[in-house]
Amino acid sequence: MKIPNRFIVVDDDTTNNLVCKYVIHRFNNNADVQLFTDPEKALEIIKDSSASAEVETVLFLDLNMPTMSGPEFLEEFENFNQDVQKQISIYILTASLDLGDRDRAERNVFVKGYLPKPLSMETMNQIFG
């Protein structure tokens, strides 16, 4: 996979979001990184901007968030236009050690990988190396 220029991070933990932004910029200093602590807002932005942008995007998604969980986010994403869905590669980025969480995520057609927090250069190299 070539290194995309657009990244979206959806996690209610602002510290984790900043770590992700730092690592992504170390990996690709020209990357456009959007951080969201509100999953609903991220879905709204993706729906509005991706259809016209046609930019390959990597989305790092947390599973456990208070207002909308990662699985709920994925359910909403399933309703999006196929053109939008094709542009976005979703990776679960979580601290969850629950094997059930991992199994459910890996069965989802939109999830490309299940990654441990925090995001690291090693993880980025595994994905895009």
Side-chain angles (χ1 to χ4, degrees):
M1 173 186 253
K2 74 177 186 71
I3 302 169
N5 282 326
R6 183 173 182 229
F7 291 83
I8 297 172
V9 181
V10 181
D11 191 330
D12 61 311
D13 180 345
T14 54
T15 303
N16 183 66
N17 286 351
L18 293 174
V19 168
C20 287
K21 185 174 186 175
Y22 173 78
V23 171
I24 292 166
H25 276 143
R26 276 194 54 216
F27 194 77
N28 175 0
N29 61 351
N30 295 319
D32 170 23
V33 181
Q34 295 176 287
L35 306 175
F36 294 94
T37 54
D38 179 347
E40 291 93 340
K41 183 70 174 166
L43 285 165
E44 188 180 306
I45 295 295
I46 291 166
K47 195 172 198 175
D48 291 347
S49 68
S50 293
S52 60
E54 293 187 18
V55 175
E56 189 177 331
T57 303
V58 169
L59 189 148
F60 292 114
L61 176 65
D62 187 23
L63 286 180
N64 300 309
M65 297 177 283
T67 60
M68 173 186 270
S69 70
E72 290 169 333
F73 182 98
L74 291 168
E75 281 179 31
E76 288 295 318
F77 185 77
E78 287 174 19
N79 298 320
F80 283 17
N81 179 306
Q82 282 186 338
D83 292 337
V84 173
Q85 292 170 342
K86 287 179 195 168
Q87 294 167 34
I88 298 180
S89 298
I90 299 175
Y91 291 85
I92 301 299
L93 185 64
T94 184
S96 173
L97 299 175
D98 184 319
L99 293 177
D101 285 345
R102 184 182 193 112
D103 289 344
R104 278 187 295 282
E106 289 176 345
R107 282 195 309 268
N108 187 296
V109 67
F110 298 111
V111 174
K112 306 292 187 222
Y114 190 91
L115 310 169
K117 280 185 182 180
L119 185 63
S120 66
M121 287 298 287
E122 181 181 322
T123 300
M124 293 294 283
N125 284 320
Q126 287 172 354
I127 299 170
F128 306 108

